[in-house]
Amino acid sequence: MPDTTIHQRMNAGDWAILAALSVLWGCSFFFLAIGLRELPPFTLVLARVGFSALLLLGWAAVAGIRLPPRTAWGAFALLALLNNVIPFALYGFAQQQISSGLTSILNGTTPLWGVIVAHLFTTDERATAGKIAGVLLGFAGVATMVGSDALAGLGANVFAQGACLVATLSYALAGVWARRFKAQGVTPMGVATGQLVAATIIMLPLAGIVDRPWLLPMPGSVVIASIAGMVLVSTVFAYILYFRLVERAGASNSLLVTFTIPFVAILLGVLVLGETLLAKHVAGMALIALGLAAIDGRPWARLSRSR
């Protein structure tokens, strides 16, 4: 029987995966914003999950990797709905109505939902004072980094903001649901493949009915490049790593990546694009670092021992 235990406290390898996911998913909002210039949300989601599924199926065929058993495909369909179809479509709708800054703040509620959902539906990821305090500090850090200007639109476009919150809850439910596959002996690559194939099957009729993509003009080279980046960087590789982290560290720990995505995006802007590092960025990063330390617990334990 597969080992179903998780790391209550993440080790160095888990933190390394979390850092990698921060970079991979930090690019996804950029790719999405470019894609939405020429493609409607459902078509863009279909392109993302469809090409990703084809790549993973092709790799499985070449490498001789066995696909998950047929009995698991019902569970994959629900995972696809929670982790791909619902949140991707909702974010695609929301980003057409509200600013990316406000979207980032609302996206920062994902770990809050993660702590609540994991506490309610698991026995080994119970909410602790340190975890709750850390999540609140992390959320405050995200809001600080993005800045008060993004809050100017709070209260307007209620449906778009509600869509973001439903998407974050959906991600949290998906993280807990994905834990079941480890007990069934399905590898992280198998979970990623099953999820994306199921998502493609679900999205085909939706995109066909709503968008009729065969009538749309061919997108330009920039949009095609953004789709390629979204598929290779932010979907195929990212989901294999993500399900590996869920397998090792559980749902609530894995969803902490939402806090570190803005952190990485700002650092990349400073180092690569020559953008200015502002005081609010430093303050936000400090709050996120304190939050992650509170969730991990070891820095406080060492401080207590030294005292």
Side-chain angles (χ1 to χ4, degrees), residues 100-162:
S100 59
L102 184 53
T103 303
S104 298
I105 292 176
L106 295 172
N107 191 51
T109 62
T110 302
L112 298 174
W113 288 118
V115 169
I116 294 170
V117 171
H119 181 80
L120 292 175
F121 295 106
T122 70
T123 58
D124 54 358
E125 289 192 66
R126 312 298 289 178
T128 63
K131 185 174 287 188
I132 294 171
V135 166
L136 292 175
L137 282 168
F139 178 71
V142 171
T144 300
M145 278 197 296
V146 174
S148 59
D149 291 345
L151 296 176
L154 196 62
N157 292 311
V158 174
F159 286 113
Q161 294 172 42

Side-chain angles (χ1 to χ4, degrees), residues 239-263:
Y239 272 120
I240 293 172
L241 285 180
Y242 172 70
F243 289 124
R244 177 61 174 159
L245 187 60
V246 170
E247 182 182 81
R248 291 160 55 106
S252 57
N253 283 332
S254 301
L255 293 171
L256 295 175
V257 68
T258 310
F259 288 155
T260 55
I261 287 173
F263 181 95

Side-chain angles (χ1 to χ4, degrees), residues 18-110:
L18 192 75
L21 283 172
S22 302
V23 177
L24 298 175
W25 276 336
C27 301
S28 64
F29 288 98
F30 170 75
F31 292 140
L32 180 61
I34 293 176
L36 287 171
R37 293 176 183 174
E38 298 182 27
L39 294 174
F42 280 0
T43 298
L44 194 58
V45 173
L46 175 60
R48 178 176 184 176
V49 297
F51 287 123
S52 298
L54 287 174
L55 281 175
L56 285 173
L57 287 171
W59 173 252
V62 171
I65 299 172
R66 294 182 61 185
L67 293 177
R70 284 181 295 177
T71 54
W73 285 94
F76 282 134
L78 181 55
L79 181 63
L81 282 170
L82 293 173
N83 217 26
N84 294 140
V85 177
I86 292 173
F88 288 0
L90 289 176
Y91 272 124
F93 162 74
Q95 283 195 241
Q96 293 177 318
Q97 309 294 324
I98 59 178
S99 68
S100 59
L102 184 53
T103 303
S104 298
I105 292 176
L106 295 172
N107 191 51
T109 62
T110 302

